[in-house]
Amino acid sequence: MAYIINFKNLDKTALPQVVGKNASLGELIKAGIRVPPGFAVTTDSYLNFITITGIKDEIQYIISNLKSGDIDSLNTTCKEIQKIIINKPLPDEIRSAIRDGYEELCNRCDVEDLPVAVRSSATAEDLPNASFAGQQDTYLWIQNSDQVIDKVQKCWASLWTARAIDYRIKNDFPHDKVLISVGVQKMVNARSAGVMFTLNPTDGDISKVVIEGNWGLGETVVSGSVNPDKFVVDKIIMETTDKTISTKHIECVFD
């Protein structure tokens, strides 16, 4: 059983262990695309954590008492579960695996306390009839192994936010079927960043690539806090066929 796996050793066959976001990074690396190095904290780590510590049974008990449609009950439930996950000490073998993975990454990049992004990826993110993506947390510019471990636990806890619990209930998706992996990846101090769709998400046109971006880190784009620039690129003729430049009033940078 692996608690962490290096991105370069991942591909789509590792989906159950590291989920879509991390498995896709492995596919990109194998395709020869430049990807900042890092590693995935596996779903086995999360599952072992909640099982060994007894949290799994506690969660099932708390969730069973959740009153459907009651916002106060939902908020109380999510806070209680998150508090349990964040405050429970990690088993030594999981803590050591994450610490070793981060220290190896620091050595590889020859940077002490390397700044990393700690990124959540849940098993139910990409389903045909529902999208759970974006409901879990990501933390940027995290430094030193203790902080990385702390943020991994907070990513796990974000599987139990009010919005995530409510969305699973509304989509009739069992809570005990959702697991979470966490990616720990070298930060890029980006001049500009954003999101690229390998088809047009508006009409499903597979001959187009859509790129949305802003100055600084990509957080402003993915959080929806800014209207990003938009570029539509035709895959066939390899030219930009549409371009929209927006008034971008916010830039996310490291302070």
Side-chain angles (χ1 to χ4, degrees), residues 29-201:
I29 291 170
K30 283 180 168 53
I33 296 170
R34 292 175 64 196
V35 174
F39 61 91
V41 181
T42 64
T43 54
D44 286 333
S45 291
Y46 170 74
L47 186 57
N48 272 28
F49 168 64
I50 63 172
T51 303
I52 293 170
T53 58
I55 290 176
K56 187 176 181 180
D57 293 334
E58 287 186 72
I59 290 174
Q60 291 306 314
Y61 175 75
I62 295 167
I63 282 290
S64 67
N65 293 320
L66 177 62
K67 298 175 183 177
S68 179
D70 187 333
I71 294 176
D72 290 336
S73 176
L74 176 62
N75 287 331
T76 300
T77 297
C78 75
K79 288 177 182 177
E80 188 174 354
I81 294 174
Q82 287 183 294
K83 184 177 180 180
I84 290 170
I85 292 174
I86 291 170
N87 291 335
K88 187 75 71 172
L90 260 66
D92 290 341
E93 59 270 28
I94 299 176
R95 177 180 293 273
S96 295
I98 297 171
R99 188 183 302 279
D100 291 347
Y102 175 72
E103 290 176 355
E104 181 183 340
L105 185 58
C106 291
N107 292 333
R108 179 180 175 186
C109 297
D110 197 24
V111 177
E112 186 178 354
D113 289 340
L114 178 75
V116 294
V118 183
R119 311 173 64 198
S120 300
S121 188
T123 51
E125 281 186 347
D126 302 305
L127 298 177
N129 58 347
S131 175
F132 293 77
Q135 293 187 359
Q136 282 74 51
D137 290 341
T138 285
Y139 297 90
L140 302 180
W141 220 283
I142 305 305
Q143 294 176 276
N144 81 56
S145 55
D146 288 337
Q147 283 298 309
V148 170
I149 292 167
D150 175 69
K151 294 304 183 289
V152 167
Q153 278 191 262
K154 287 182 177 176
C155 283
W156 289 345
S158 70
L159 193 62
W160 300 95
T161 60
R163 61 183 178 180
I165 294 172
D166 187 54
Y167 193 78
R168 290 197 291 269
I169 292 172
K170 287 178 178 176
N171 285 274
D172 197 27
F173 197 93
H175 296 292
D176 60 349
K177 298 298 182 184
V178 182
L179 297 175
I180 188 167
S181 172
V182 179
V184 179
Q185 185 175 24
K186 177 182 181 289
M187 279 295 307
V188 174
N189 192 12
R191 178 182 172 221
S192 58
V195 178
M196 182 179 75
F197 302 91
T198 53
L199 53 69
N200 192 327

